[in-house]
């Protein structure tokens, strides 16, 4: 009996349910598994058919633990969900493939670029894509008159909106003693996430933007799909010029007066994926089809104007 494994499952119940519905349509006997550092306090783990406790993603025992689960549970598809596990999983793709597990992650070089915001900006600029001017804190201190104030400061390897701040002058630059930061032009305009699906051959099969109407803790809370031609073209162009993407990625863009400006790439499922799923871009189905050797039915015929309004729910269990 084969299975899907969602790693770092946390509270990603919507994602787990998307895979459950996709699996039921393809193979009703397929199990949906989840793992996390703290299974007891993971809502998604409680909703899975079976859950496993694993070390932290940055622990050297993390990959061996996942390989052991995949081997014992006949996992056909492993789906990562957080940035800190992507590089290790990308580097170990062949090890998983050797035991029959397909990992939904891009080429290690692609992941390396996406995990480094400064490098992302350099690569996008080199490819001729519209991206905001980016600076290190040292560059700003040395030449404050040459930067487009105000700036937005972000941890270079951060995610989920952690430690982001607006910087209006040199006195507000972040403390970089603990981690590296990148500073970028503070863009004005509506923010969009553009979800994309790449098949096993690296071909982009769909580009689905949604406007982030309201955000909470770095994740979209209210959003709507929009078939904006400029945003869609930015996605197709990105796919042509930045090789190595596989499976699911998303990128962030601000729709400015000078057009879409791309400022971040995520080499994984975005938090707003359930909106794309509801609009007909069922990435979970397409991943399963490819992992099982079936014909991939990926398409770009998703529904524009699909709205998502999230609310809090709870999982209860007696201790």
């Amino acid at each position: 009996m084969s299975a899907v494994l969602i790693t770092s499952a946390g509270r990603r119940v919507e994602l787990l349910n998307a895979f459950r519905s996709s699996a039921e349509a393809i193979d009703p006997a397929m199990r949906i598994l989840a793992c996390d550092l703290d299974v007891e306090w993971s809502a998604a783990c409680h909703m899975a058919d079976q859950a496993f406790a694993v070390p932290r993603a940055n622990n050297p025992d993390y990959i061996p633990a996942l390989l052991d689960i995949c081997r014992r549970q006949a996992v056909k598809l492993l789906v990562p969900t957080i940035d800190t596990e992507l590089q290790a999983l990308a580097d170990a793709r062949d090890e998983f493939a050797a035991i029959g597990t397909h990992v939904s992650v891009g080429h290690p070089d692609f992941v390396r670029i996406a995990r480094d915001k400064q490098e992302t900006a350099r690569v996008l600029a080199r490819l001729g894509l519209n991206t905001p001017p980016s600076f290190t804190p040292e560059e700003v201190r040395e030449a404050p008159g040459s930067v487009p104030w105000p700036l937005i400061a972000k941890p270079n390897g951060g995610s989920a909106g952690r430690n982001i701040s607006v910087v209006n002058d040199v006195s507000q630059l972040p403390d970089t003693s603990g981690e590296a930061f990148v500073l970028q032009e503070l863009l004005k305009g509506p923010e969009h996430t553009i979800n994309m699906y790449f098949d096993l051959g690296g071909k982009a099969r769909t580009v689905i933007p949604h406007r982030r109407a309201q955000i909470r803790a770095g994740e979209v809370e209210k959003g709507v799909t929009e078939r904006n031609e400029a945003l869609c073209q930015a996605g197709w162009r990105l796919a042509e010029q930045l090789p190595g993407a596989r499976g699911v990625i998303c990128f962030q863009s601000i729709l400015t007066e000078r057009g879409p400006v791309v400022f971040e790439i995520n080499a994984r499922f975005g938090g707003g994926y359930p909106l794309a799923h509801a609009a007909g871009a069922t990435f979970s189905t397409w991943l399963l089809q490819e992992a099982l050797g079936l014909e991939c039915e990926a398409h770009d015929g998703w529904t524009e104007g699909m709205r998502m309004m999230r609310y809090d729910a709870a999982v209860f269990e007696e201790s």
Side-chain angles (χ1 to χ4, degrees):
M1 190 183 301
S2 60
V4 176
L5 176 62
I6 298 174
T7 62
S8 304
R11 58 189 181 91
R12 293 168 178 82
V13 175
E14 290 174 304
L15 180 62
L16 185 143
N17 286 339
F19 275 96
R20 190 181 297 284
S21 65
S22 294
E24 287 174 351
I26 295 172
D27 179 4
M30 181 172 283
R31 296 169 300 136
I32 308 300
L33 313 178
C35 65
D36 204 279
L37 177 67
D38 193 348
V39 170
E40 182 182 1
W41 290 103
S42 164
C45 283
H46 282 285
M47 301 298 287
D49 294 322
Q50 191 172 353
F52 305 87
V54 294
R56 289 189 183 277
N58 59 2
N59 188 305
D61 293 329
Y62 183 62
I63 296 299
L66 293 183
L67 284 165
D68 183 58
I69 294 169
C70 291
R71 187 181 298 108
R72 288 187 291 108
Q73 300 297 326
V75 172
K76 294 297 184 184
L77 175 64
L78 185 151
V79 182
T81 65
I82 62 173
D83 290 324
T84 51
E85 62 186 344
L86 295 178
Q87 195 66 60
L89 284 167
D91 293 339
R93 288 182 310 168
D94 291 345
E95 293 180 65
F96 284 94
I99 60 171
T101 301
H102 172 65
V103 181
S104 177
V105 70
H107 187 278
D109 290 343
F110 174 78
V111 173
R112 198 167 291 113
I113 292 169
R115 288 290 294 124
D116 184 326
K117 290 181 173 58
Q118 188 77 23
E119 183 63 16
T120 296
R122 291 192 195 102
V123 170
L124 291 174
R126 189 165 66 243
L127 295 175
L129 293 163
N130 200 356
T131 190
S134 299
F135 311 89
T136 64
E138 293 73 24
E139 289 171 335
V140 174
R141 288 191 184 94
E142 290 174 3
S146 65
V147 302
W149 301 101
L151 304 172
I152 185 165
K154 315 170 191 178
N156 198 46
S159 60
R162 179 180 63 86
N163 290 343
I164 290 179
S165 63
V166 175
V167 176
N168 293 292
D169 56 51
V170 173
S171 68
Q172 296 178 350
L173 287 172
D175 178 9
T176 59
S177 58
E179 63 181 327
F181 276 77
V182 61
L183 294 107
Q184 296 179 326
E185 175 190 7
L186 181 62
L187 302 169
K188 294 181 179 180
E191 182 178 352
H192 291 74
T193 294
I194 297 85
N195 290 283
M196 298 183 64
Y197 186 85
F198 291 78
D199 63 24
L200 291 176
K203 180 181 179 181
R205 301 287 289 271
T206 190
V207 176
I208 173 167
H210 67 253
R211 177 165 51 85
R212 291 158 62 93
Q214 188 168 312
I215 301 166
R216 179 169 63 169
E219 195 167 286
V220 61
E221 186 175 51
K222 299 176 183 178
V224 57
T225 57
E226 294 182 346
R227 197 176 283 275
N228 180 286
E229 184 63 23
L231 290 168
C232 290
Q233 286 303 315
W236 296 119
R237 187 177 175 196
L238 182 71
E240 290 175 359
Q241 300 194 51
L242 190 59
R246 296 292 186 277
V248 179
I249 77 162
C250 64
F251 66 91
Q252 307 299 122
S253 177
I254 300 288
L255 197 54
T256 71
E257 292 181 351
R258 62 180 188 267
V261 180
V262 180
F263 62 91
E264 188 169 305
I265 299 173
N266 299 302
R268 54 166 171 77
F269 274 95
Y273 164 70
L275 176 53
H277 187 92
T282 53
F283 294 0
S284 52
T285 297
W286 306 338
L287 280 174
L288 277 171
Q289 289 171 337
E290 293 199 289
L292 296 172
L294 305 174
E295 181 182 355
C296 179
E297 299 175 336
H299 60 81
D300 197 45
W302 47 271
T303 302
E304 183 176 20
M306 179 65 70
R307 292 176 179 267
M308 177 176 70
M309 292 150 280
R310 280 176 160 165
Y311 63 95
D312 291 329
V315 174
F316 299 96
E317 183 184 75
E318 290 186 7
S319 62

